[in-house]
């Protein structure tokens, strides 16, 4: 289902926020829609198998052979996994009305974020995480970090992280240990109502960041 939030500036593709091609999914029954350059392909768990030539027009408003696709840039959370997606999608086929989420979750993460809190502890300014091209880079308090970002159907994982080996003052090193401990635990993320990035572990917020 969809939940409204201020997403800030997202690198989703076209200026209107709906990419020319995307995948959308929903539940009860499970379904998947592939919007590609040449086709609209819909499959459902209860037996629908449909592939139609893609009509001309905006990717967020497509109609072909009784199939209608509406997609808008709106934070949408998968109703089973809670994974956030950048598009809210509605598909109709005859009397069937399917609602779900679409686009690439990585689009919600892309770019720099200022880390503000770990748990209940405020962080000093200047601690940045940047997500781009399937990787994360940033500053943990003293040292630089870099590593891969993996996004699956039910969560995310960071690392293994490579961290430089500079020595800093005890306060900066303590902050760095705190940040790294949080990053290694992360298994999910969300965008809250204020557009902030909430990185989670076992369903609990462990790191909060802002644009």
């Amino acid at each position: 289902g969809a939940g409204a939030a201020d997403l800030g500036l997202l690198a989703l593709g076209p200026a209107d926020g709906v990419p020319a091609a995307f995948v959308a999914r929903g539940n009860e029954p499970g379904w998947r829609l592939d919007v590609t350059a040449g086709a609209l392909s819909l499959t459902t768990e209860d037996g629908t198998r449909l592939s139609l030539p893609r009509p001309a027009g905006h990717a967020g408003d497509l109609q072909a052979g009784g199939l209608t696709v509406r997609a808008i840039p709106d934070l949408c959370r998968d109703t089973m996994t809670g994974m956030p997606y950048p598009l809210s999608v509605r598909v109709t086929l005859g009397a069937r009305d399917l609602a779900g989420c679409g686009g690439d979750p990585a689009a919600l993460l892309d770019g720099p974020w200022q880390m503000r809190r770990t748990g209940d502890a405020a962080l000093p300014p200047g601690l940045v995480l940047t997500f781009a091209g399937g990787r994360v880079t940033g500053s943990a308090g003293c040292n630089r970090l870099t590593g891969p970002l993996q996004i699956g159907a039910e969560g995310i994982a960071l690392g293994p992280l490579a961290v430089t080996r500079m020595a800093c003052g005890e306060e900066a090193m303590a902050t760095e240990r705190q940040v790294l401990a949080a990053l290694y635990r992360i298994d999910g993320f969300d965008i809250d109502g204020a557009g902030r990035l909430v990185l989670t572990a076992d369903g609990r917020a462990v790191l909060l960041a802002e644009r």
Side-chain angles (χ1 to χ4, degrees), residues 1-49:
D6 178 4
L7 303 184
L9 297 176
L10 301 179
L12 299 183
D16 61 15
V18 179
F22 60 88
V23 175
R25 298 178 178 84
N27 305 301
E28 299 179 354
W31 61 270
R32 172 178 170 137
L33 174 74
D34 289 75
V35 177
T36 67
L40 305 179
S41 300
L42 176 68
T43 60
T44 68
E45 286 183 347
D46 57 3
T48 299
R49 300 288 185 274

Side-chain angles (χ1 to χ4, degrees), residues 132-157:
R135 296 190 64 80
V136 59
T137 58
S139 169
C142 173
N143 287 280
R144 300 287 301 172
L145 63 91
T146 184
L149 164 70
Q150 295 93 27
I151 300 182
E154 298 186 5
I156 67 172

Side-chain angles (χ1 to χ4, degrees), residues 181-192:
L183 292 176
Y184 282 124
R185 294 173 55 204
I186 288 165
D187 59 18
F189 81 99
D190 200 357
I191 306 295
D192 72 9

Side-chain angles (χ1 to χ4, degrees), residues 38-122:
L40 305 179
S41 300
L42 176 68
T43 60
T44 68
E45 286 183 347
D46 57 3
T48 299
R49 300 288 185 274
L50 180 65
S51 184
L52 298 168
R54 174 174 172 161
H58 182 271
D61 187 1
L62 296 170
Q63 299 182 58
L67 179 70
T68 300
V69 178
R70 301 277 191 269
I72 60 173
D74 184 31
L75 184 69
C76 180
R77 295 180 182 87
D78 185 272
T79 55
M80 291 186 66
T81 67
M83 172 69 81
Y85 291 82
L87 301 178
S88 180
V89 181
R90 187 168 295 273
V91 177
T92 57
L93 180 62
R96 304 197 68 177
D97 187 10
L98 305 171
C101 303
D104 185 357
L108 295 170
L109 292 169
D110 278 355
W113 295 87
Q114 303 287 327
M115 290 183 278
R116 299 303 190 196
R117 304 187 69 85
T118 54
D120 295 328

